[in-house]
Amino acid sequence: MNEAHILKIAGELKVQPRQVLATARLFAEGATVPFIARYRKEATGLLDEVAITTIRERLLGLAELDSRRESILKSLEERNLLTDKLKADIAGADNVTRLEDIYQPFRPKRRTRAMIAKEQGLEPLADLLFAQQPGTDPQTEAAKYVSTEKGVADVNAALAGARDIIAERVSDDANARAKLRALFWSEGIVKSKVMSDKQEAGAKFKDYFDWSEPVGKIPSHRLLAIRRGETEGFLMMRISVEENSALVQLEPMFVTGKGPAADQVRLAVQDSYKRLLGSAIEVQLRMETK
C-alpha cells in the first residue's frame, strides 16, 4: 500500500488513515463495495458505501496519476529535457489534468506551423514581439528575417511565422489551459445538429436535431443520447463557449504591452484560440463528460 496515498485520501475524507488502509487491503483481497460496507464494518470503522466507493476511486486515480507521472518523467529523461524545475512541477501535480498541462509543451508533436517557423529562423523575431517593448517596429524587425533560401518570402510571411510560434506557446501554457477549461465548464454549451440529409434515417434522434444546453447542467442521459446519435452518424455535437469570453480570459495573460508588437501578440492569441487551444479544450471536455 502506498502510505502517501492512504494519508492523502484520509485527509480528503476526514477519516482515520487506518480506515482507509483497511479498506484498501479489502479491495486488494477482491472484496466489493457492498460486501465491505455490510460485512466489514469493524475493519473500516463503520464507513458507508459512499465513502468506500470514494476510497476505491481515489486509490485507482492516484495509482493512475503515479503511473502517468513515471511515464512522463521517463520520456523527458530519454529526450534530455528534464530540468530540476520541471521535475518539481511534475512531482507537485495533484491530478492527471494538471500533469498533462505541464507536459504539453514537451509532448512529441507532428510537424506544426510553429516548428516550420522555427526552422526558418523566426524564433528570435517571435521572442522580440512577445517582449512587447515600446518602440518595437514589427515591420522593420521582420524585414531582417526575409530570406528566399529559408522560405520567408516577405515581411508578412516573417510576421505570420513569428505569430505561429507565439500561438503555439499560448496553446501549450498550463495556466491558460486551466483557465480556459474552467471557462468551458462554467459557460460551455453543448450543441447538436442533424447531419445533412439524415433527418429521416435519424428520426429517433429528432429531439436533438437542433439542441443546445449548458455542459454543466445537461443530464447524463441526454448527453449519452446525443453522443449515440453522433456515433451512429446522425448528429454533430460541439461543446463551445463564446469566442469573446475566451479571449477576455486569454488576452490579458499574454498581451502585456501597448503598440504594434502587442498588436501582433494579440493576433497570435486570437489565432491560438481559434486554431489550437479552443479545439484542444473541447476534446478534453468531451473526454471528461464521457
Side-chain angles (χ1 to χ4, degrees):
M1 301 297 170
N2 188 308
E3 183 179 353
H5 291 179
I6 298 298
L7 293 174
K8 182 176 180 62
I9 296 170
E12 291 173 351
L13 297 181
K14 295 180 173 55
V15 298
Q16 294 297 317
R18 61 178 177 77
Q19 293 175 280
V20 180
L21 179 59
T23 305
R25 285 174 173 165
L26 288 166
F27 280 131
E29 294 168 2
T32 64
V33 171
F35 177 84
I36 295 171
R38 293 173 189 171
Y39 304 113
R40 291 294 180 265
K41 293 180 180 180
E42 77 291 343
T44 66
L46 303 178
L47 292 178
D48 59 20
E49 284 200 23
V50 174
I52 293 168
T53 300
T54 302
I55 290 172
R56 180 187 63 184
E57 291 174 351
R58 290 298 286 138
L59 286 169
L60 293 172
L62 290 171
E64 177 189 357
L65 177 62
D66 282 352
S67 176
R68 182 59 179 147
R69 195 191 327 268
E70 183 179 343
S71 174
I72 287 173
L73 288 170
K74 181 179 179 182
S75 172
L76 292 169
E77 283 181 326
E78 289 175 348
R79 291 181 285 141
N80 296 317
L81 296 174
L82 189 61
T83 65
D84 289 342
K85 182 182 183 306
L86 184 55
K87 188 173 183 178
D89 288 344
I90 290 170
D94 59 0
N95 60 70
V96 173
T97 299
R98 177 62 181 169
L99 185 62
E100 296 295 350
D101 282 350
I102 294 170
Y103 183 50
Q104 177 63 28
F106 308 96
R107 190 186 304 277
K109 298 181 176 75
R110 58 179 176 78
R111 196 161 178 260
T112 64
R113 283 164 47 170
M115 288 180 184
I116 295 170
K118 290 177 182 178
E119 292 168 3
Q120 293 172 324
L122 295 172
E123 192 162 20
L125 177 60
D127 292 338
L128 183 66
L129 296 176
F130 197 66
Q132 302 167 64
Q133 293 296 324
T136 300
D137 182 358
Q139 298 285 328
T140 300
E141 298 298 334
K144 302 174 184 178
Y145 293 87
V146 174
S147 169
T148 304
E149 181 182 346
K150 293 184 178 180
V152 184
D154 52 30
V155 166
N156 289 336
L159 289 173
R163 290 196 302 269
D164 286 340
I165 294 171
I166 295 171
E168 189 167 280
R169 290 179 186 174
V170 171
S171 178
D172 286 345
D173 186 90
N175 291 330
R177 283 178 168 255
K179 184 168 286 193
L180 198 58
R181 188 181 300 107
L183 177 69
F184 265 70
W185 273 115
S186 63
E187 298 184 16
I189 302 294
V190 177
K191 297 181 180 180
S192 63
K193 290 191 177 296
V194 64
M195 297 292 286
S196 179
D197 299 325
K198 295 289 186 177
Q199 290 89 342
E200 185 175 345
K204 63 181 177 180
F205 297 106
K206 64 180 180 180
D207 290 345
Y208 308 113
F209 281 2
D210 187 15
W211 185 269
S212 65
E213 190 168 0
V215 67
K217 296 181 179 179
I218 187 169
S220 58
H221 71 272
R222 188 141 55 230
L223 185 57
L224 286 170
I226 292 173
R227 284 184 178 279
R228 188 161 57 250
E230 183 181 45
T231 300
E232 295 181 17
F234 301 117
L235 300 176
M236 177 179 68
M237 186 186 91
R238 293 293 309 274
I239 304 175
S240 61
V241 298
E242 289 291 334
E243 183 177 314
N244 286 341
S245 296
L247 294 177
V248 164
Q249 296 284 330
L250 292 173
E251 288 186 4
M253 298 180 66
F254 301 99
V255 184
T256 58
K258 294 182 179 180
D263 291 340
Q264 291 291 320
V265 175
R266 182 175 287 103
L267 289 173
V269 171
Q270 293 170 359
D271 174 55
S272 180
Y273 175 72
K274 294 176 184 176
R275 183 169 56 87
L276 302 171
L277 193 49
S279 57
I281 299 300
E282 180 183 4
V283 168
Q284 288 186 0
L285 252 73
R286 289 175 68 97
M287 293 176 64
E288 290 175 19
T289 54
K290 187 176 182 179

